[in-house]
Amino acid sequence: MGISRHATAHWEGDLKTGQGQLSTPQSGLMENTRYGFNSRFGDVKGTNPEELIAAAHAGCFTMALSAKLTEAGHPPETLDTRAEVDLSMEGGPTLSAIRLKTKAKVPGIDAAKFREIADDAKQNCPVSKALSAVPITLEAELL
């Protein structure tokens, strides 16, 4: 049996002048968090779908990498990941690229083995699988 999580979105108005709120009732982390055209394409405070996808991907990949390193006998001391999600407007809005950039402190592992495990985590974390239609690259640095 799997788990199920949910979030809610509420929107009022047209695309450019309207606004919305996102909530994550199960965790309570976001409650009526603002999002809209200007937080997506401008500099108005609020979140946007690409930022949320980036956060989900960074978190999922980092957890998968931790699990795989531990399974290989090299539990990490630290893992820091940045996910960058690009939205292209050519031919209509589409996610065009995702770049994962991770830095890790992992005792007792060489760079080649670390890269092998990091590549496996990138390919197999659930969010990477869900986003498989988007080109995903990985920079993995062992500190």
Side-chain angles (χ1 to χ4, degrees):
M1 182 174 155
I3 61 171
S4 180
R5 300 285 186 239
H6 71 274
T8 63
H10 175 77
W11 188 266
E12 295 177 6
D14 65 51
L15 175 63
K16 290 194 176 180
T17 62
Q19 64 180 0
Q21 298 87 36
L22 299 170
S23 296
T24 54
Q26 289 172 303
S27 69
L29 183 62
M30 290 193 309
E31 185 173 339
N32 299 321
T33 299
R34 181 183 179 153
Y35 82 109
F37 186 86
N38 290 319
S39 65
R40 191 174 196 181
F41 299 105
D43 58 3
V44 170
K45 188 171 175 78
T47 193
N48 58 72
E50 293 73 33
E51 178 181 66
L52 296 171
I53 289 170
H57 204 176
C60 186
F61 164 78
T62 303
M63 290 177 75
L65 181 55
S66 175
K68 290 181 180 297
L69 286 165
T70 301
E71 288 170 12
H74 301 285
E77 284 184 21
T78 62
L79 300 171
D80 293 291
T81 303
R82 175 185 173 112
E84 300 170 352
V85 174
D86 294 347
L87 177 67
S88 172
M89 300 309 288
E90 293 178 28
T94 187
L95 297 183
S96 57
I98 299 172
R99 290 173 301 285
L100 296 172
K101 300 177 180 183
T102 193
K103 295 182 180 184
K105 188 172 182 184
V106 185
I109 194 170
D110 64 41
K113 183 67 174 174
F114 172 70
R115 181 61 198 218
E116 174 188 327
I117 293 170
D119 284 336
D120 184 48
K122 179 192 79 126
Q123 290 297 109
N124 293 300
C125 88
V127 172
S128 286
K129 287 180 179 182
L131 297 171
S132 63
V134 182
I136 301 170
T137 60
L138 172 64
E139 291 178 24
E141 180 182 350
L142 191 57
L143 303 174

